[in-house]
Amino acid sequence: MPKETMSFSIDVLSILDENGYADRGLMPDIADHQIKSFYEAMVLARILDDRILKLQREGRCGTYASSLGQEATQVGSAFALKDEDWMFPYFRETGSHIVRKTPLANYILYWMGDERGMKISSSVNNFLECIPVSTQVLHAVGAAFAMKHKRRNNAVLVYMGDGATSKGDFHEGMNFAGVFRLPVVFVCQNNQYAISVPVSMQTASGTIAQKAIAYGFDGVRVDGNDVFAVFAATKAALEKARAGKGPTFIECLTYRMGDHTTSDDATRYRSKEEVDAWRTKDPIERLRRYMESKGLWTKDYEDFIRKDSEERVEQAIREAEGMPEQGIEDLFSFMYEKMPDKLAEQLKEAKGE
Ligand SMILES: Cc1ncc(C[n+]2csc(CCOP(=O)(O)OP(=O)(O)O)c2C)c(N)n1
Ligand SMILES: [Mg+2]
């Protein structure tokens, strides 16, 4: 039998460079007002992120996972979704939640440790934040299976980190999605660390995108600090999913500029030089440069959106802090549609009935 070589490839996509120049041939069709929406959501995400970090330092908020530096990955991908699609976030999703209309007060409330902030809304198809690493992948794939079964033509987008791609849940989900050609898009926020563990110690694979090949579907790597590339790749993948052509895996190469969470100190495991090098790739700066060159950005516009974002965040904090205390019932009723008998008994006891 003659020897044969089978070869596989993944696309690597980058449209907007660090200086704000966009490759015209690759640029997706995006109206000016939409480019401004991208920018405004990214600025709001950064302001909200910074404010929650300060609230945590003041003891007004619980442990928080910052999205600093990952705004283009989150905003670009979430904007590619249609309202009827489903989003399954993980725990580092400030930008995605902003785009998907999670009320800011709810988002803050959740990080204050109050799960009322993450109740699934009936108006937007968002699942709730998922703290256990990678388990959301199975939930998302299950939802995509249901969409296919019910012949709905909406798609599912699930986010995960680079570390999450080493979990069994991830591989089971990828395999199931490939076998059943499910309408799901996997968006990996490769911020290059899983707490203190760098990607090189997480996997021997040259890219994370190539893992998709083993499961029989396309993997693509995009510059995760390039909002246009993230948007274009996600939009194409979602269209493919809705057309019944199966899943796609998108690796967004980005960098976690902050600590893992407010309980971490990243200076203990990575160098200042490394962080400074990534500062020059800032996703907001490069979009601003592009917009300025197209006459879409002025100092007045910047001042206006900053002030507006700050006011929205302050108002949301007032709302979250003004929420009436949670009743003890919520501790028991949140998990199940119908409360199991055992829990009902415990609730009665807790209320002294
Ligand atoms: C099942 C599970 N194991 C361990 C943890 C503790 N933990 C929280 S975040 C994290 C690393 C996640 O890294 P990655 O997937 O790259 O996401 P990132 O935090 O970098 O966004 C770990 C191990 C957890 N939350 N859930
Ligand atoms: Mg990571």
Side-chain angles (χ1 to χ4, degrees):
M1 192 167 91
K3 183 179 161 201
E4 272 182 64
T5 305
M6 294 170 77
S7 55
F8 304 93
S9 64
I10 53 157
D11 287 337
V12 178
L13 181 66
S14 157
I15 299 174
L16 183 67
D17 75 12
E18 289 163 31
N19 301 312
Y21 293 115
D23 184 320
R24 278 208 208 166
L26 295 172
M27 188 68 187
D29 187 18
I30 316 179
D32 288 352
H33 71 87
Q34 200 173 6
I35 294 176
K36 284 179 141 182
S37 304
F38 287 4
Y39 186 73
E40 288 160 25
M42 285 162 74
V43 169
L44 176 58
R46 192 162 286 189
I47 288 172
L48 175 59
D49 195 86
D50 184 59
R51 197 64 185 88
I52 300 180
L53 286 172
K54 291 193 172 100
L55 288 177
Q56 195 278 338
R57 292 289 183 267
E58 290 165 9
R60 293 158 70 189
C61 196
T63 303
Y64 172 65
S66 160
S67 289
L68 182 64
Q70 297 179 216
E71 295 89 350
T73 290
Q74 298 173 1
V75 166
S77 51
F79 261 118
L81 285 161
K82 291 186 176 174
D83 285 352
E84 57 272 27
D85 294 330
W86 273 90
M87 172 182 86
F88 283 73
Y90 75 110
F91 50 77
R92 195 183 302 286
E93 302 285 6
T94 306
S96 338
H97 275 288
I98 284 173
V99 176
R100 291 291 286 178
K101 304 187 185 93
T102 300
L104 301 188
N106 284 32
Y107 191 66
I108 296 167
L109 194 64
Y110 175 73
W111 287 105
M112 285 176 166
D114 188 328
E115 73 270 26
R116 284 176 299 179
M118 271 298 146
K119 283 208 165 155
I120 299 175
S121 146
S122 54
S123 59
V124 191
N125 289 348
N126 294 343
F127 222 66
L128 55 164
E129 297 255 304
C130 187
I131 302 291
V133 172
S134 216
T135 54
Q136 77 283 4
V137 174
L138 295 175
H139 305 155
V141 165
F145 188 65
M147 306 285 168
K148 184 163 176 156
H149 191 61
K150 293 188 167 181
R151 298 183 195 283
R152 303 249 168 89
N153 69 345
N154 38 4
V156 173
L157 184 156
V158 56
Y159 290 102
M160 82 287 313
D162 44 288
T165 66
S166 296
K167 284 279 311 289
D169 310 57
F170 170 78
H171 292 280
E172 289 172 32
M174 291 277 283
N175 187 53
F176 196 85
V179 169
F180 290 97
R181 286 170 68 82
L182 299 182
V184 55
V185 177
F186 300 84
V187 176
C188 175
Q189 301 196 42
N190 178 2
N191 62 10
Q192 307 192 49
Y193 285 88
I195 314 184
S196 58
V197 180
V199 173
S200 58
M201 289 183 71
Q202 190 73 239
T203 176
S205 196
T207 67
I208 298 180
Q210 72 203 56
K211 296 185 186 221
I213 295 169
Y215 295 109
F217 54 93
D218 295 334
V220 48
R221 172 184 262 196
V222 305
D223 178 343
N225 284 8
D226 166 354
V227 72
F228 296 147
V230 175
F231 175 75
T234 314
K235 189 164 178 280
L238 286 165
E239 279 163 8
K240 177 180 135 189
R242 289 187 209 105
K245 294 180 180 160
T248 306
F249 180 86
I250 304 173
E251 172 188 3
C252 300
L253 188 65
T254 180
Y255 193 78
R256 194 195 76 213
M257 292 303 294
D259 295 327
H260 169 69
T261 63
T262 45
S263 313
D264 174 49
D265 174 7
T267 61
R268 295 181 64 156
Y269 53 83
R270 59 187 197 185
S271 70
K272 184 175 176 310
E273 289 72 33
E274 182 183 302
V275 180
D276 285 347
W278 275 91
R279 222 179 287 286
T280 64
K281 301 178 198 291
D282 187 273
I284 297 184
E285 270 298 293
R286 73 171 76 172
L287 181 57
R288 183 185 62 67
R289 288 197 187 114
Y290 171 83
M291 288 168 64
E292 197 172 4
S293 74
K294 299 283 173 204
L296 297 175
W297 183 94
T298 60
K299 178 77 179 49
D300 283 351
Y301 167 71
E302 180 78 20
D303 291 346
F304 174 77
I305 62 166
R306 280 192 176 272
K307 190 162 173 288
D308 183 58
S309 300
E310 280 160 13
E311 282 171 8
R312 284 178 63 190
V313 170
E314 291 314 313
Q315 171 59 25
I317 295 169
R318 282 194 291 276
E319 264 176 58
E321 290 191 327
M323 280 283 283
E325 279 242 333
Q326 243 175 322
I328 188 114
E329 297 80 9
D330 285 16
L331 188 64
F332 295 83
S333 62
F334 190 70
M335 284 293 285
Y336 301 95
E337 191 180 33
K338 184 178 176 305
M339 199 183 299
D341 294 347
K342 269 251 167 304
L343 274 189
E345 263 171 51
Q346 286 180 17
L347 173 59
K348 267 190 166 178
E349 209 177 299
K351 288 165 83 178
E353 287 172 1

